[in-house]
Amino acid sequence: MVADNVSFTRALVATNFKATVALRGAFVIQVVFMALNNFTFFIFWWALMQHVTTLRGWQLGDIQMLFGMVAAAFGLTVTVAGGVRHLGRFIEDGDLDTLLTQPKPVLVNALGLRSQPSGFGDLVSGLIFIVWSGQISWSRLPIVVVVIAASAVIFVACGTVFFSLAFWLGRVETVATQLWELLVTFSLYPEPLFGGTLRLLLFTVLPAGFVGYLPVRILRAPSLANVTILMFVATGYLCLAVLIFNRGLRRYGSGSRFTTFG
Amino acid sequence: MPRAAAVELDQLSKSFRVRRARSTGVAARLRDLFSGETQTVCAVDKLSFSIAPGERVAFIGPNGAGKSTTLKMLAGILQPDAGDVRVLGLVPSRQRRQLAFQIGTVFGQRSQLWYQLPPRDTFELLGRVYEVDAPEHRRRIDALSSVFDLGTLVNTPVRHLSLGERMRCEIVASLLHSPRMLFLDEPTIGLDVSAKATIRELLWTQSEQERVTLLLTSHDTGDMERVCTRAIVINHGRLLWDGPIAALRRSYLKAKRVTLWSEAEHLELTLPGVRVLSSGAYRTELEIALEITPLGQVVDAALRQTAIRDMAIEDAPLDEVIRALYATAATGSVPS
Amino acid sequence: MSAGTIAKYAAFSRISATQAGRERNELYGRMAFFAVILGVFSSLWRAVAEAGMPVAADPKSLVWYLAATEWILLSAPPIHLEIQEAIRRGDVVYRLGHPASYVLAEFATGFGLLAVRAPFLGLTAFLCAFAFTEWTPPLSALLIVVPFGFVASTVITALYLGIGLLAFWLQDVAPVYWVWQKLMFVLGGLMLPLELYPAFIQRAAAFTPFPSLLAAPASVVLGTNAVTPGALARNLVIWSGVTAIAVSWMFRRAVSTVTINGG
């Protein structure tokens, strides 16, 4: 049973990857341009930090690491679980129909569709940023991998929750996309910029704190306690997401609920 | 387990909440937002029928009759509001995964093939989905590919396939795990005449050979006649008619359509139960109610006036039969 | 252009404005996003001010600067997506037979959206910037930013139209859009006034339309008096002209390829 599901998931990821690289030209362009996109954006920080060397204790290297971390985790998310950003539309338009007639977990099946080629650009540029930050020695590579994976899990879980709102609210595409983008946006800025109630939000509903800030703290000074917290939190968000999705699935209307039916 | 029905529905119901059409004006829209006014529309209304293993059933009804909704409840996609459903002895809403191993589905408007990849990749992934042992799965792919005459199509990216070719691959995909029951929702939609014929023939042979129970919805009466032996007609979510397709014809087709080509330029036939549909020079088209006036009497009457050069006798097309069925349903009396 | 022609394209604008008025969700989303960005940057500029401001402006006016550049950018509807879809589906070929220019009709449609977005986003910009800084720039500055910003946003809409038309030649225009957008971020001085970038970037920016579209109109709120309204107007006229010529040339090229090679 477990072995079957593992072999299925592996086959799904492989098929997904194959489909992504099928149009080689488009794939290469997306990867290169997304990486270029990230580097261009970073010119902002680079220019600013030429004038201000530290920003509440953060230096350019720290920002580079944060930026790299989040880009890599985001890239991993949309390459392996690219379906997450389409869940809302799948739910509304009845695209889960086929998946529901297959004997495999619907969420896994749905997440594994639509890998985004641009994600590879994010992943690659993210790793370059991390190396370039000059703060990571090769011996810390395993921690980097673990932290990026945990962060990606939280991204997937949040996306699942945001887009699963479609089960209850119908057209949530825009709202959910905005929430998702807010999460990404907040996680790209240095932690000390945010205080007060906003901080509470950033460690709960929009856990930028867990996808960006905590990982950076771990990479700067690895501590078993922080790694444990991160793993624990990632598992928690994932369980919540699975629970909410499966709850919602009971209300699934195959695209008929809010429109007409046939 | 005794030889149970393949499908059994008892008083099955499902309704949807539909949001009212938005009114215009800011105030009205705000009101809509807060009152959240919705309308309940009954899609399937206390529907009962059963299907024996190996049967091939056409599920017929106008748009919005509740065909797809019923099919989706049978496949475990939608949860029923009330009533019981059993498919192959399982309750779809509660035993979705167990059921999934034994049923196949084809939705004409949705694809389960990966668009950028050749069908073979999807087929192989499906082997993992249905947990089929790899060598056996490969044999099955080859066998079905040859029955469905896929040839090089299995290695051609789906985006390059024609609709008909794609549909053949979709059906193969749904049969790979040797399901005992196949649900098809509009499998020939959008196909040209010859592609339709191929699909129908393949469905018929395949279900005949492997004793697959088949339930298909379609708007195309050709699908029903070529593939199925039994029809279930519903409208407004309720059962209208259930029986062999041949009987559907007979019970509704008490009229024949006769075209006569005569020596005389015009024919004057005034017999009870005979209606002239059209008449031109040397040609007369009649509709004859057979219970009132048998065909022979009409021909005799015509021969008394002139010589007949040619004659064609046809049944009304099944389309018309079904239209008549809906019409009588609307007026209330339904013979069966 | 005759009065009839103007009325025809005005109808496209009106219908898309009505449509946008009906479907407000996306607009509300943008407004929320805008508010958050302004919040993030107001704390960023406060942190920068603690570390020593590198530019002759206070953190408050930098928040207003960002409010202005983002307002211009966010008001422009990303119409390239729909144009790409229409081109992929082959709709454009059918539209060629209509007695309305495809490019002008799409531009008018985009303008209709812009006309709905700009006031809402402008209000968001004003209220949020005021809430975060408890200060407003002088009225005279705002009176320059608003009209020039609106025109700039219109030019950006036309540029998106151009990006959408690239779909005649490219499989996917999204990558072009990303890089274009990021160039606009940097060379247009979206988040950071151009003076803070290294000299070579400033020199490169001078050859692009981006500074005239974002930094120049927005920098009025910084009170540095770097640009005069006359210069602003002149640059906008030049870049509108260049954009119009480029887009119509692209469309003519596209149509000739389509009509020769088939749709």
Side-chain angles (χ1 to χ4, degrees):
Chain A
M1 171 79 186
V2 175
D4 281 329
N5 278 340
V6 170
S7 109
F8 157 67
T9 310
R10 209 181 317 130
L12 180 64
V13 173
T15 310
N16 201 352
F17 182 72
K18 226 168 160 182
T20 311
V21 296
L23 297 173
R24 193 141 317 147
F27 176 77
V28 171
I29 289 180
Q30 287 224 12
V31 172
V32 171
F33 274 54
M34 187 43 92
L36 213 62
N37 175 62
N38 292 344
F39 289 115
T40 316
F41 180 83
F42 203 76
I43 296 177
F44 159 73
W45 284 114
W46 176 73
L48 181 65
M49 299 309 277
Q50 300 300 309
H51 303 282
V52 193
T53 41
T54 66
L55 210 57
R56 292 193 185 152
W58 279 53
Q59 293 177 330
L60 185 62
D62 300 313
I63 299 174
Q64 254 163 19
M65 199 153 62
L66 173 73
F67 202 78
M69 250 303 306
V70 174
F74 183 88
L76 192 62
T77 302
V78 299
T79 46
V80 175
V84 70
R85 289 198 287 185
H86 301 274
L87 275 184
R89 218 166 303 150
F90 290 167
I91 293 166
E92 275 171 49
D93 298 348
D95 287 334
L96 299 181
D97 283 9
T98 322
L99 307 182
L100 273 159
T101 63
Q102 296 180 355
K104 287 289 166 235
V106 180
L107 182 59
V108 175
N109 225 327
L111 290 177
L113 301 171
R114 314 255 179 117
S115 168
Q116 323 255 303
S118 60
F120 289 94
D122 284 319
L123 190 57
V124 169
S125 57
L127 295 175
I128 294 176
F129 272 112
I130 294 176
V131 173
W132 184 22
S133 74
Q135 310 212 348
I136 302 291
S137 60
W138 288 109
S139 60
R140 287 197 191 160
L141 191 69
I143 302 184
V144 175
V145 173
V146 167
V147 161
I148 289 174
S151 174
V153 166
I154 301 175
F155 264 129
V156 174
C158 288
T160 304
V161 173
F162 297 158
F163 288 100
S164 291
L165 290 176
F167 284 123
W168 288 271
L169 303 175
R171 288 224 163 269
V172 294
E173 195 63 29
T174 344
V175 178
T177 310
Q178 290 296 339
L179 282 171
W180 168 265
E181 273 170 13
L182 281 184
L183 171 62
V184 178
T185 305
F186 274 118
S187 57
L188 285 174
Y189 291 87
E191 180 177 6
L193 290 185
F194 311 111
T197 35
L198 187 57
R199 263 185 93 72
L200 186 70
L201 200 70
L202 295 184
F203 281 92
T204 51
V205 185
L206 289 174
F210 293 119
V211 291
Y213 316 151
L214 186 59
V216 167
R217 261 188 255 169
I218 292 172
L219 293 186
R220 278 163 136 187
S223 88
L224 190 62
N226 277 345
V227 173
T228 317
I229 292 176
L230 185 64
M231 304 288 270
F232 186 74
V233 167
T235 317
Y237 274 103
L238 190 62
C239 290
L240 183 74
V242 171
L243 192 80
I244 290 180
F245 181 83
N246 285 336
R247 260 293 154 86
L249 210 51
R250 286 190 222 158
R251 303 174 52 98
Y252 177 62
S254 176
S256 322
R257 225 158 64 77
F258 292 99
T259 50
T260 52
F261 54 86
Chain B
M1 195 170 67
R3 224 181 126 61
V7 173
E8 212 161 7
L9 267 73
D10 187 23
Q11 302 279 308
L12 185 71
S13 301
K14 173 85 185 172
S15 41
F16 291 108
R17 283 218 325 269
V18 181
R19 227 169 248 169
R20 279 268 178 82
R22 289 276 180 86
S23 24
T24 47
V26 177
R29 225 174 292 138
L30 272 178
R31 234 185 2 258
D32 279 359
L33 195 65
F34 289 106
S35 67
E37 236 174 287
T38 53
Q39 215 172 354
T40 306
V41 180
C42 193
V44 176
D45 190 7
K46 297 192 184 117
L47 190 61
S48 307
F49 60 78
S50 79
I51 296 173
E55 264 194 297
R56 288 189 293 274
V57 179
F59 201 31
I60 307 171
N63 285 335
K67 302 177 302 266
S68 299
T69 305
T70 307
L71 215 61
K72 285 172 185 169
M73 284 192 278
L74 294 175
I77 295 169
L78 288 174
Q79 311 262 330
D81 292 342
D84 286 321
V85 201
R86 268 172 194 277
V87 177
L88 303 169
L90 299 167
V91 179
S93 55
R94 270 183 278 132
Q95 295 162 295
R96 186 178 67 75
R97 286 198 208 175
Q98 281 131 283
L99 180 65
F101 281 107
Q102 309 196 34
I103 61 166
T105 48
V106 176
F107 294 109
Q109 319 254 39
R110 301 194 196 289
S111 176
Q112 56 175 329
L113 301 170
W114 288 65
Y115 189 66
Q116 308 289 7
L117 297 175
R120 182 173 280 281
D121 287 303
T122 305
F123 295 166
E124 272 163 16
L125 178 63
L126 286 171
R128 302 276 73 74
V129 169
Y130 290 99
E131 300 169 16
V132 188
D133 160 62
E136 189 192 321
H137 189 61
R138 206 145 295 158
R139 273 198 298 279
R140 177 82 176 157
I141 293 178
D142 293 340
L144 282 174
S145 300
S146 87
V147 173
F148 280 72
D149 198 20
L150 297 188
T152 55
L153 298 183
V154 275
N155 296 318
T156 312
V158 173
R159 63 174 192 281
H160 296 314
L161 300 182
S162 75
L163 200 56
E165 293 168 338
R166 211 200 74 198
M167 191 45 71
R168 257 148 63 203
C169 296
E170 295 278 357
I171 295 173
V172 168
S174 70
L175 289 171
L176 282 173
H177 57 292
S178 312
R180 288 162 57 199
M181 167 104 223
L182 192 59
F183 295 108
L184 302 113
D185 197 2
E186 301 280 358
T188 61
I189 199 161
L191 300 187
D192 63 41
V193 181
S194 70
K196 273 183 185 179
T198 317
I199 297 278
R200 287 166 186 160
E201 196 184 321
L202 287 168
L203 279 174
W204 189 87
T205 345
Q206 195 62 26
S207 81
E208 192 71 11
Q209 273 169 11
E210 300 191 353
R211 296 256 316 138
V212 182
T213 312
L214 219 143
L215 180 60
L216 85 88
T217 75
S218 180
H219 280 105
D220 189 322
T221 47
D223 289 353
M224 310 163 191
E225 288 189 285
R226 301 282 140 65
V227 182
C228 302
T229 50
R230 177 180 160 196
I232 294 176
V233 185
I234 65 166
N235 199 4
H236 303 298
R238 283 190 219 129
L239 190 69
L240 264 191
W241 197 88
D242 180 0
I245 287 190
L248 177 63
R249 247 179 208 299
R250 254 179 282 120
S251 62
Y252 274 86
L253 278 191
K254 305 224 162 88
K256 289 259 181 209
R257 203 171 273 186
V258 176
T259 311
L260 297 169
W261 284 267
S262 53
E263 289 288 334
E265 201 172 331
H266 292 288
L267 265 177
E268 290 295 329
L269 287 171
T270 41
L271 290 167
V274 176
R275 200 158 61 89
V276 179
L277 294 175
S278 70
S279 71
Y282 312 105
R283 183 183 161 281
T284 314
E285 197 184 355
L286 307 164
E287 191 181 72
I288 307 169
L290 298 176
E291 326 141 295
I292 306 175
T293 308
L295 191 58
Q297 281 186 24
V298 182
V299 178
D300 283 345
L303 282 171
R304 256 174 262 133
Q305 289 181 28
T306 172
I308 303 291
R309 282 197 304 205
D310 199 359
M311 179 166 85
I313 308 173
E314 304 161 89
D315 284 328
L318 193 56
D319 274 328
E320 272 175 39
V321 179
I322 291 166
R323 221 179 304 140
L325 188 61
Y326 298 153
T328 40
T331 60
S333 65
V334 182
S336 58
Chain C
M1 237 193 255
S2 74
T5 315
I6 292 172
K8 177 158 69 183
Y9 294 107
F12 280 101
S13 298
R14 214 165 32 243
I15 199 164
S16 77
T18 316
Q19 176 93 348
R22 291 268 161 77
E23 291 161 9
R24 294 265 172 83
N25 277 351
E26 206 205 326
L27 184 57
Y28 293 148
R30 281 203 166 202
M31 285 160 71
F33 183 75
F34 196 2
V36 168
I37 285 289
L38 285 176
V40 169
F41 270 80
S42 64
S43 58
L44 175 65
W45 292 130
R46 267 200 302 276
V48 171
E50 284 166 25
M53 213 47 160
V55 65
D58 63 316
K60 289 175 182 174
S61 59
L62 278 173
V63 172
W64 279 90
Y65 172 83
L66 181 77
T69 54
E70 285 277 4
W71 171 64
I72 296 168
L73 189 65
L74 287 174
S75 293
I79 52 175
H80 64 285
L81 294 174
E82 251 171 63
I83 293 169
Q84 163 161 298
E85 276 310 300
I87 292 172
R88 275 191 193 161
R89 281 195 310 262
D91 290 2
V92 177
V93 182
Y94 298 106
R95 293 270 297 270
L96 291 181
H98 288 198
S101 144
Y102 176 74
V103 165
L104 280 179
E106 285 303 311
F107 175 69
T109 306
F111 183 77
L113 291 172
L114 169 66
V116 173
R117 281 159 180 259
F120 280 91
L121 292 168
L123 195 67
T124 311
F126 187 88
L127 293 178
C128 291
F130 180 69
F132 293 131
T133 59
E134 295 172 1
W135 176 80
T136 61
L139 184 66
S140 57
L142 293 180
L143 283 178
I144 295 172
V145 173
V146 172
F148 283 108
F150 189 80
V151 175
S153 203
T154 311
V155 178
I156 294 174
T157 308
L159 288 169
Y160 287 159
L161 174 61
I163 293 180
L165 291 180
L166 287 175
F168 277 111
W169 298 277
L170 302 177
Q171 217 154 28
D172 183 11
V173 300
V176 179
Y177 173 72
W178 301 330
V179 170
W180 178 267
Q181 200 194 24
K182 290 303 173 310
L183 285 176
M184 198 130 84
F185 278 21
V186 173
L187 302 180
L190 179 81
M191 297 174 288
L192 202 61
L194 272 171
E195 307 86 272
L196 287 176
Y197 285 102
F200 75 93
I201 289 184
Q202 293 186 40
R203 269 199 301 278
F207 291 100
T208 70
F210 307 127
S212 309
L213 297 176
L214 295 176
S219 61
V220 177
V221 299
L222 293 175
T224 48
N225 295 326
V227 280
T228 61
L232 260 181
R234 195 196 57 222
N235 286 342
L236 281 175
V237 167
I238 291 172
W239 287 113
S240 326
V242 171
T243 309
I245 292 168
V247 168
S248 64
W249 176 79
M250 270 172 70
F251 188 64
R252 271 203 308 277
R253 282 295 302 269
V255 169
S256 64
T257 13
V258 168
T259 43
I260 291 165
N261 302 331

